[in-house]
Amino acid sequence: MPRDYYEVLGVDKDASDEDLKKAYRRMAREHHPDANPDDPEAESKFKELGEAYAVLSDANRRSNYDRFGHSGPSMGGAAGFDPFDIFASFFGGDPFGFGRRGGPQRGRDLAIAVEISLTDVLNGVEKSFPVRSLRKCQTCDGSGAEPGTEVTTCLRCAGAGQVQVVQRSFFGNVMTASVCPDCRGYGDKITSPCSKCRGEGRLEREEEVTVEVPAGVEEGMQLKVEGQGEAAPRGGSPGDLYVQLRVKPMRGVERQGPDVMVVAEVPVSQAILGSTLKVDSFDGAAEVELQPGTQPGEVIKIKGAGLAKLGRPGRGDLLVKVDVKIPTGLSQEEDEVMRQFASLRGEDVAEYQGFMGKIRSAFKG
Ligand SMILES: [Zn+2]
Ligand SMILES: [Zn+2]
Protein backbone atom coordinates (compact mmCIF):
# COMPACT_ATOMS: atom_id res chain seq x y z
CA MET A 1 0.00 0.00 0.00
CA PRO A 2 1.60 3.31 -1.08
CA ARG A 3 2.13 5.97 1.54
CA ASP A 4 -0.10 9.02 1.68
CA TYR A 5 1.25 11.67 -0.70
CA TYR A 6 0.88 14.48 1.83
CA GLU A 7 2.78 12.42 4.34
CA VAL A 8 5.53 11.67 1.80
CA LEU A 9 6.09 15.38 1.23
CA GLY A 10 5.53 16.22 4.89
CA VAL A 11 2.86 18.84 4.19
CA ASP A 12 -0.71 19.51 5.40
CA LYS A 13 -3.83 18.63 3.37
CA ASP A 14 -4.37 22.34 2.63
CA ALA A 15 -0.78 22.96 1.46
CA SER A 16 -0.46 25.60 -1.27
CA ASP A 17 1.40 25.05 -4.55
CA GLU A 18 4.28 27.04 -3.08
CA ASP A 19 4.36 24.78 0.02
CA LEU A 20 4.48 21.71 -2.23
CA LYS A 21 7.34 23.12 -4.26
CA LYS A 22 9.31 24.02 -1.16
CA ALA A 23 8.77 20.61 0.37
CA TYR A 24 9.71 18.79 -2.81
CA ARG A 25 12.80 20.92 -3.37
CA ARG A 26 14.09 20.22 0.12
CA MET A 27 13.33 16.51 0.23
CA ALA A 28 14.28 15.57 -3.33
CA ARG A 29 17.74 16.99 -2.86
CA GLU A 30 18.11 15.06 0.34
CA HIS A 31 16.91 11.78 -1.12
CA HIS A 32 18.45 11.88 -4.59
CA PRO A 33 20.16 8.51 -5.21
CA ASP A 34 23.38 10.27 -6.22
CA ALA A 35 23.51 11.94 -2.83
CA ASN A 36 22.82 8.67 -1.01
CA PRO A 37 25.00 6.07 -2.70
CA ASP A 38 24.98 3.84 0.39
CA ASP A 39 21.22 3.81 0.86
CA PRO A 40 19.59 1.04 -1.20
CA GLU A 41 16.17 2.58 -0.49
CA ALA A 42 17.17 6.02 -1.76
CA GLU A 43 15.94 5.33 -5.27
CA SER A 44 12.46 4.19 -4.21
CA LYS A 45 12.15 7.06 -1.73
CA PHE A 46 13.15 9.47 -4.47
CA LYS A 47 10.61 7.95 -6.84
CA GLU A 48 7.90 8.19 -4.21
CA LEU A 49 8.66 11.88 -3.69
CA GLY A 50 8.44 12.54 -7.41
CA GLU A 51 5.16 10.69 -7.69
CA ALA A 52 3.66 12.57 -4.73
CA TYR A 53 4.71 15.88 -6.19
CA ALA A 54 3.53 14.98 -9.70
CA VAL A 55 0.04 14.19 -8.39
CA LEU A 56 -0.39 16.98 -5.85
CA SER A 57 0.97 19.72 -8.11
CA ASP A 58 -1.69 18.89 -10.73
CA ALA A 59 -5.06 20.37 -9.65
CA ASN A 60 -7.21 17.62 -11.29
CA ARG A 61 -5.17 14.74 -10.03
CA ARG A 62 -4.95 16.32 -6.59
CA SER A 63 -8.76 16.65 -6.27
CA ASN A 64 -9.18 13.04 -7.46
CA TYR A 65 -6.62 11.92 -4.93
CA ASP A 66 -8.32 13.92 -2.16
CA ARG A 67 -11.65 12.21 -2.90
CA PHE A 68 -10.58 8.68 -3.77
CA GLY A 69 -7.05 8.23 -2.45
CA HIS A 70 -4.69 5.81 -4.17
CA SER A 71 -7.57 3.78 -5.57
CA GLY A 72 -8.98 6.77 -7.42
CA PRO A 73 -9.38 6.99 -11.21
CA SER A 74 -6.38 7.70 -13.41
CA MET A 75 -3.84 7.60 -10.60
CA GLY A 76 -1.93 4.95 -12.48
CA GLY A 77 0.94 4.69 -10.04
CA ALA A 78 4.16 5.96 -11.60
CA ALA A 79 2.79 6.12 -15.12
CA GLY A 80 3.26 9.34 -17.05
CA PHE A 81 6.00 10.85 -14.97
CA ASP A 82 9.71 10.52 -14.53
CA PRO A 83 11.08 11.37 -11.08
CA PHE A 84 14.42 12.42 -12.61
CA ASP A 85 12.70 14.72 -15.07
CA ILE A 86 10.81 16.43 -12.27
CA PHE A 87 14.02 16.76 -10.35
CA ALA A 88 15.81 18.23 -13.36
CA SER A 89 13.04 20.80 -13.78
CA PHE A 90 13.89 22.07 -10.28
CA PHE A 91 17.65 21.77 -10.20
CA GLY A 92 18.91 21.37 -13.74
CA GLY A 93 21.29 18.70 -14.89
CA ASP A 94 24.06 18.97 -12.29
CA PRO A 95 22.25 19.06 -8.94
CA PHE A 96 25.24 18.39 -6.73
CA GLY A 97 27.58 20.79 -8.39
CA PHE A 98 30.14 18.23 -9.52
CA GLY A 99 30.40 20.23 -12.70
CA ARG A 100 32.54 17.64 -14.40
CA ARG A 101 32.48 14.09 -15.58
CA GLY A 102 35.16 12.06 -13.86
CA GLY A 103 38.91 12.33 -13.69
CA PRO A 104 40.88 14.92 -11.81
CA GLN A 105 40.06 18.53 -12.48
CA ARG A 106 42.49 20.88 -14.21
CA GLY A 107 43.52 24.15 -12.56
CA ARG A 108 42.34 27.45 -13.99
CA ASP A 109 44.45 29.46 -16.41
CA LEU A 110 45.72 32.82 -15.21
CA ALA A 111 46.65 36.00 -17.07
CA ILE A 112 49.05 38.72 -16.02
CA ALA A 113 50.45 41.82 -17.72
CA VAL A 114 54.19 42.43 -17.65
CA GLU A 115 55.95 45.61 -18.75
CA ILE A 116 59.18 45.49 -20.72
CA SER A 117 61.35 48.18 -22.29
CA LEU A 118 62.37 48.69 -25.91
CA THR A 119 65.85 47.57 -24.89
CA ASP A 120 64.26 44.32 -23.73
CA VAL A 121 62.60 44.04 -27.15
CA LEU A 122 66.03 44.47 -28.75
CA ASN A 123 67.89 41.94 -26.64
CA GLY A 124 65.21 39.63 -25.26
CA VAL A 125 64.92 39.39 -21.50
CA GLU A 126 64.29 37.00 -18.66
CA LYS A 127 61.52 38.51 -16.52
CA SER A 128 60.69 37.45 -12.99
CA PHE A 129 57.63 38.64 -11.15
CA PRO A 130 55.49 37.48 -8.23
CA VAL A 131 52.20 35.73 -8.99
CA ARG A 132 49.67 35.21 -6.21
CA SER A 133 47.54 32.17 -6.92
CA LEU A 134 46.35 28.78 -5.69
CA ARG A 135 49.46 26.61 -5.55
CA LYS A 136 50.03 22.99 -4.73
CA CYS A 137 50.00 22.45 -0.96
CA GLN A 138 53.54 21.56 0.06
CA THR A 139 52.47 19.84 3.26
CA CYS A 140 50.54 17.08 1.49
CA ASP A 141 52.20 17.51 -1.92
CA GLY A 142 48.80 18.26 -3.41
CA SER A 143 47.23 14.96 -2.42
CA GLY A 144 44.89 16.55 0.13
CA ALA A 145 45.70 13.82 2.68
CA GLU A 146 47.45 14.52 5.97
CA PRO A 147 51.01 13.19 5.60
CA GLY A 148 51.31 9.64 6.90
CA THR A 149 47.59 8.93 6.66
CA GLU A 150 45.91 6.49 4.38
CA VAL A 151 44.42 7.21 0.99
CA THR A 152 42.24 4.36 -0.19
CA THR A 153 40.98 3.60 -3.64
CA CYS A 154 37.29 4.38 -3.98
CA LEU A 155 35.36 1.14 -3.85
CA ARG A 156 32.36 2.36 -5.77
CA CYS A 157 34.24 3.30 -8.93
CA ALA A 158 37.42 1.26 -8.32
CA GLY A 159 39.49 4.41 -8.76
CA ALA A 160 38.05 5.43 -12.14
CA GLY A 161 36.24 8.46 -10.75
CA GLN A 162 33.26 7.58 -12.93
CA VAL A 163 30.32 5.29 -12.57
CA GLN A 164 27.88 4.00 -15.16
CA VAL A 165 24.38 5.16 -14.38
CA VAL A 166 21.08 4.34 -15.97
CA GLN A 167 19.32 7.52 -17.00
CA ARG A 168 15.61 7.33 -17.43
CA SER A 169 14.26 9.21 -20.36
CA PHE A 170 11.22 9.16 -22.59
CA PHE A 171 13.25 7.04 -24.99
CA GLY A 172 13.91 4.36 -22.40
CA ASN A 173 16.89 3.69 -20.19
CA VAL A 174 20.24 5.07 -21.32
CA MET A 175 23.61 4.15 -19.83
CA THR A 176 25.82 7.14 -19.25
CA ALA A 177 29.04 7.80 -17.37
CA SER A 178 28.67 10.06 -14.38
CA VAL A 179 30.99 11.45 -11.72
CA CYS A 180 31.34 8.93 -8.94
CA PRO A 181 29.27 10.38 -6.08
CA ASP A 182 31.43 8.62 -3.48
CA CYS A 183 34.75 10.19 -4.36
CA ARG A 184 33.49 13.10 -6.49
CA GLY A 185 35.64 11.94 -9.39
CA TYR A 186 38.96 11.72 -7.58
CA GLY A 187 39.02 7.92 -7.57
CA ASP A 188 40.25 7.73 -4.01
CA LYS A 189 39.13 8.51 -0.51
CA ILE A 190 41.02 10.48 2.09
CA THR A 191 40.68 9.26 5.66
CA SER A 192 42.12 12.41 7.27
CA PRO A 193 42.34 15.58 5.17
CA CYS A 194 45.54 17.62 5.22
CA SER A 195 45.30 20.13 8.09
CA LYS A 196 47.11 22.81 6.12
CA CYS A 197 44.89 22.89 3.00
CA ARG A 198 41.85 21.18 4.56
CA GLY A 199 42.00 18.43 1.97
CA GLU A 200 41.97 20.70 -1.07
CA GLY A 201 45.54 19.95 -2.03
CA ARG A 202 46.20 23.60 -2.81
CA LEU A 203 46.71 26.89 -1.00
CA GLU A 204 46.94 30.52 -1.97
CA ARG A 205 50.56 31.54 -2.13
CA GLU A 206 52.79 34.06 -3.86
CA GLU A 207 55.44 32.57 -6.10
CA GLU A 208 58.12 34.03 -8.30
CA VAL A 209 57.50 33.18 -11.94
CA THR A 210 60.22 33.57 -14.54
CA VAL A 211 59.47 33.94 -18.20
CA GLU A 212 61.82 34.10 -21.16
CA VAL A 213 60.77 37.02 -23.36
CA PRO A 214 62.20 36.57 -26.85
CA ALA A 215 63.69 39.52 -28.74
CA GLY A 216 61.41 41.31 -31.19
CA VAL A 217 58.10 40.92 -29.35
CA GLU A 218 55.29 43.40 -29.93
CA GLU A 219 52.95 45.23 -27.60
CA GLY A 220 50.05 43.02 -26.49
CA MET A 221 51.66 39.70 -27.41
CA GLN A 222 50.97 36.80 -25.07
CA LEU A 223 53.43 34.26 -23.80
CA LYS A 224 52.13 31.01 -22.40
CA VAL A 225 53.93 29.62 -19.38
CA GLU A 226 52.78 26.05 -19.04
CA GLY A 227 51.80 24.78 -15.63
CA GLN A 228 52.13 28.15 -13.90
CA GLY A 229 48.39 28.80 -13.64
CA GLU A 230 46.23 27.78 -10.72
CA ALA A 231 46.89 24.40 -9.16
CA ALA A 232 44.10 21.87 -9.54
CA PRO A 233 42.42 20.54 -6.43
CA ARG A 234 44.00 17.32 -5.21
CA GLY A 235 46.69 16.61 -7.71
CA GLY A 236 45.12 17.37 -11.09
CA SER A 237 47.23 19.17 -13.65
CA PRO A 238 47.73 22.90 -13.11
CA GLY A 239 46.45 25.57 -15.47
CA ASP A 240 48.70 27.75 -17.62
CA LEU A 241 49.82 31.32 -17.09
CA TYR A 242 49.36 33.78 -19.94
CA VAL A 243 51.78 36.69 -19.79
CA GLN A 244 50.59 39.69 -21.75
CA LEU A 245 53.44 41.97 -22.79
CA ARG A 246 53.25 45.72 -22.43
CA VAL A 247 56.09 47.55 -24.15
CA LYS A 248 56.87 50.75 -22.29
CA PRO A 249 57.01 53.60 -24.77
CA MET A 250 60.23 55.61 -25.02
CA ARG A 251 59.86 59.37 -25.41
CA GLY A 252 60.54 60.50 -28.97
CA VAL A 253 60.81 56.95 -30.30
CA GLU A 254 58.17 55.60 -32.63
CA ARG A 255 58.16 51.90 -33.34
CA GLN A 256 57.07 50.21 -36.57
CA GLY A 257 57.75 46.51 -36.08
CA PRO A 258 61.51 46.07 -36.03
CA ASP A 259 62.09 49.62 -37.32
CA VAL A 260 62.21 52.63 -35.03
CA MET A 261 61.89 56.27 -35.94
CA VAL A 262 63.40 59.21 -34.09
CA VAL A 263 63.11 62.90 -34.95
CA ALA A 264 66.29 65.01 -35.26
CA GLU A 265 66.04 68.79 -35.09
CA VAL A 266 68.38 70.36 -37.62
CA PRO A 267 69.24 74.07 -37.99
CA VAL A 268 68.41 75.51 -41.36
CA SER A 269 72.08 76.09 -42.23
CA GLN A 270 72.88 72.37 -41.76
CA ALA A 271 69.86 71.38 -43.84
CA ILE A 272 71.07 73.66 -46.60
CA LEU A 273 74.82 73.04 -46.44
CA GLY A 274 74.95 69.51 -45.08
CA SER A 275 76.58 68.26 -41.86
CA THR A 276 77.24 65.26 -39.69
CA LEU A 277 74.38 64.55 -37.25
CA LYS A 278 74.77 62.85 -33.90
CA VAL A 279 71.77 60.74 -32.86
CA ASP A 280 71.09 58.51 -29.86
CA SER A 281 70.65 54.90 -30.87
CA PHE A 282 70.26 51.58 -29.03
CA ASP A 283 73.94 51.05 -29.65
CA GLY A 284 74.99 54.39 -28.17
CA ALA A 285 75.68 57.64 -30.05
CA ALA A 286 75.58 57.24 -33.81
CA GLU A 287 76.55 59.60 -36.62
CA VAL A 288 74.61 60.16 -39.81
CA GLU A 289 75.53 62.21 -42.82
CA LEU A 290 73.14 65.05 -43.53
CA GLN A 291 73.37 65.77 -47.26
CA PRO A 292 73.36 69.40 -48.48
CA GLY A 293 69.80 70.38 -49.33
CA THR A 294 68.04 68.01 -46.95
CA GLN A 295 64.29 68.76 -46.91
CA PRO A 296 62.11 68.94 -43.77
CA GLY A 297 60.56 65.52 -43.12
CA GLU A 298 63.25 63.66 -45.02
CA VAL A 299 64.16 60.31 -43.48
CA ILE A 300 67.73 59.07 -43.16
CA LYS A 301 68.05 55.34 -42.66
CA ILE A 302 70.68 53.68 -40.46
CA LYS A 303 70.47 50.07 -41.56
CA GLY A 304 70.42 47.38 -38.89
CA ALA A 305 70.31 49.82 -35.98
CA GLY A 306 66.65 49.14 -35.16
CA LEU A 307 65.06 46.44 -33.00
CA ALA A 308 65.36 42.67 -33.27
CA LYS A 309 63.08 40.79 -35.65
CA LEU A 310 60.84 38.28 -33.87
CA GLY A 311 61.94 34.76 -34.65
CA ARG A 312 64.28 35.88 -37.42
CA PRO A 313 67.91 36.92 -37.48
CA GLY A 314 68.89 40.51 -38.10
CA ARG A 315 67.60 43.83 -36.96
CA GLY A 316 65.32 46.51 -38.32
CA ASP A 317 66.48 49.99 -39.21
CA LEU A 318 66.81 53.22 -37.28
CA LEU A 319 65.03 55.95 -39.19
CA VAL A 320 66.06 59.52 -38.51
CA LYS A 321 63.41 62.01 -39.54
CA VAL A 322 64.75 65.51 -40.17
CA ASP A 323 62.91 68.42 -38.60
CA VAL A 324 64.34 71.72 -39.90
CA LYS A 325 64.24 74.46 -37.29
CA ILE A 326 63.65 77.98 -38.68
CA PRO A 327 65.52 80.45 -36.48
CA THR A 328 63.63 83.35 -34.88
CA GLY A 329 64.83 86.54 -33.16
CA LEU A 330 67.71 87.18 -35.56
CA SER A 331 70.35 89.70 -34.66
CA GLN A 332 70.75 92.68 -36.97
CA GLU A 333 73.81 91.08 -38.55
CA GLU A 334 72.05 87.74 -39.14
CA ASP A 335 69.10 89.64 -40.58
CA GLU A 336 71.39 91.44 -43.00
CA VAL A 337 73.04 88.21 -44.14
CA MET A 338 69.67 86.59 -44.76
CA ARG A 339 68.51 89.59 -46.78
CA GLN A 340 71.66 89.36 -48.83
CA PHE A 341 70.98 85.69 -49.38
CA ALA A 342 67.38 86.44 -50.46
CA SER A 343 68.46 89.15 -52.83
CA LEU A 344 71.07 86.82 -54.40
CA ARG A 345 68.30 84.34 -55.06
CA GLY A 346 65.92 87.04 -56.27
CA GLU A 347 63.41 86.32 -53.50
CA ASP A 348 61.13 89.10 -52.25
CA VAL A 349 61.11 89.44 -48.46
CA ALA A 350 59.34 91.77 -46.02
CA GLU A 351 61.11 95.03 -45.29
CA TYR A 352 63.35 95.32 -42.24
CA GLN A 353 61.24 96.69 -39.42
CA GLY A 354 63.93 97.57 -36.95
CA PHE A 355 63.50 97.06 -33.23
CA MET A 356 60.43 99.36 -32.80
CA GLY A 357 58.79 97.95 -35.90
CA LYS A 358 59.00 94.45 -34.42
CA ILE A 359 57.33 95.65 -31.22
CA ARG A 360 54.52 97.35 -33.16
CA SER A 361 53.81 94.31 -35.33
CA ALA A 362 53.79 92.11 -32.23
CA PHE A 363 51.00 94.28 -30.71
CA LYS A 364 49.05 94.33 -33.96
CA GLY A 365 49.28 90.57 -34.33
ZN1 LIG B 1 47.64 19.94 2.00
ZN1 LIG C 1 34.63 6.82 -6.75
Side-chain angles (χ1 to χ4, degrees), residues 6 55-56 58-69 73 75:
Y6 291 98
V55 171
L56 297 185
D58 180 302
N60 279 331
R61 293 176 83 178
R62 184 175 177 176
S63 79
N64 274 337
Y65 178 73
D66 285 344
R67 277 188 284 165
F68 308 109
M75 292 318 297

Side-chain angles (χ1 to χ4, degrees), residues 25-43:
R25 189 186 293 274
R26 184 172 51 79
M27 296 184 78
R29 223 185 142 94
E30 201 181 306
H31 294 292
H32 194 288
D34 277 3
N36 300 276
D38 300 320
D39 184 0
E41 311 241 289
E43 189 134 0

